[in-house]
Amino acid sequence: MNKRFSGLKMLAAGLALGLTSQFASALAVSAPGASGSGSWDGGLGDFIEFAPGDTQLSLTLTDTSKVHFRADDCCITGDAFGLIIDGISTPWTTEIFPGGVGGNFTGLLTTYLGAGTHIFELQVTADCCGSGGMSWAMDVPEPGSLALLSLGLIGLGAARRRQA
C-alpha cells in the first residue's frame, strides 16, 4: 500500500463491485481517525483515487455507528465532489465554499451506518482543470465513548430532576 497513508491503519484489501460493474480493489480503513488524500486525472465524472488504482474506500463496522466523513478540495477553486456510499448517491450534510461561491469545496457528512462493510466513493461533480487533488477524513466515535457520554447525560438529567 502507499506510504503517504502512514497514519492510516490498513485492515485488508478486498474486491468490491464498483458502479462501473467492474471489480476494483478497495482501500480498507480502520476508524476512528482515518484520513488521507486522493487525486483524479480524467475530469468531470472521474472517481477519486484514494490510492493508486483504488477508487473505493471500505469501512467495516461491527455495530451500527455514527460516521463523520469530510472531503476537501485542496488546491484550485472550482472543483466539487459527490459522495456515493454502497452504490447510492448520498447528499452531503453540509457543503461549504470558503470565500464564497467559487471557493474551494468542503463536503461534510454525518450519518449512521449499520454493521457490515460499506464502500465509499467520491466522484468529481465540478471540475476546473481536468485533474486535481483532495483530502478526506473519516471518524467513527468509539462505542465506549458514546456510552460514557450517554450515561453522563442521563446522570445530569436525573440530578436536575431531583433538584426540581
Side-chain angles (χ1 to χ4, degrees):
M1 291 291 164
N2 195 324
K3 289 194 184 234
R4 69 180 169 175
F5 296 100
S6 61
L8 183 63
K9 183 176 178 184
M10 301 302 208
L11 291 178
L15 292 177
L17 184 60
L19 291 180
T20 58
S21 298
Q22 298 176 3
F23 282 100
S25 65
L27 182 65
V29 299
S30 171
S35 64
S37 60
S39 63
W40 71 97
D41 198 21
L44 193 64
D46 199 16
F47 285 91
I48 302 296
E49 286 192 347
F50 294 102
D54 287 329
T55 59
Q56 297 178 332
L57 186 69
S58 74
L59 172 67
T60 301
L61 301 170
T62 55
D63 296 310
T64 297
S65 301
K66 187 174 190 177
V67 176
H68 304 285
F69 189 84
R70 176 183 179 127
D72 293 293
D73 181 23
C74 75
C75 308
I76 302 172
T77 60
D79 300 325
F81 313 102
L83 178 62
I84 300 162
I85 302 175
D86 298 331
I88 299 169
S89 182
T90 305
W92 295 103
T93 307
T94 306
E95 286 184 12
I96 303 168
F97 294 90
V101 176
N104 286 18
F105 172 88
T106 294
L108 305 169
L109 173 76
T110 298
T111 190
Y112 285 90
L113 294 175
T117 299
H118 301 279
I119 302 296
F120 289 73
E121 297 174 289
L122 287 170
Q123 187 172 29
V124 179
T125 58
D127 180 41
C128 77
C129 308
S131 65
M134 51 80 63
S135 62
W136 61 271
M138 179 182 296
D139 185 37
V140 181
E142 296 178 30
S145 299
L146 292 175
L148 253 160
L149 175 65
S150 298
L151 285 173
L153 291 174
I154 290 169
L156 284 173
R160 186 171 185 185
R161 190 172 181 157
R162 283 186 196 151
Q163 288 177 352

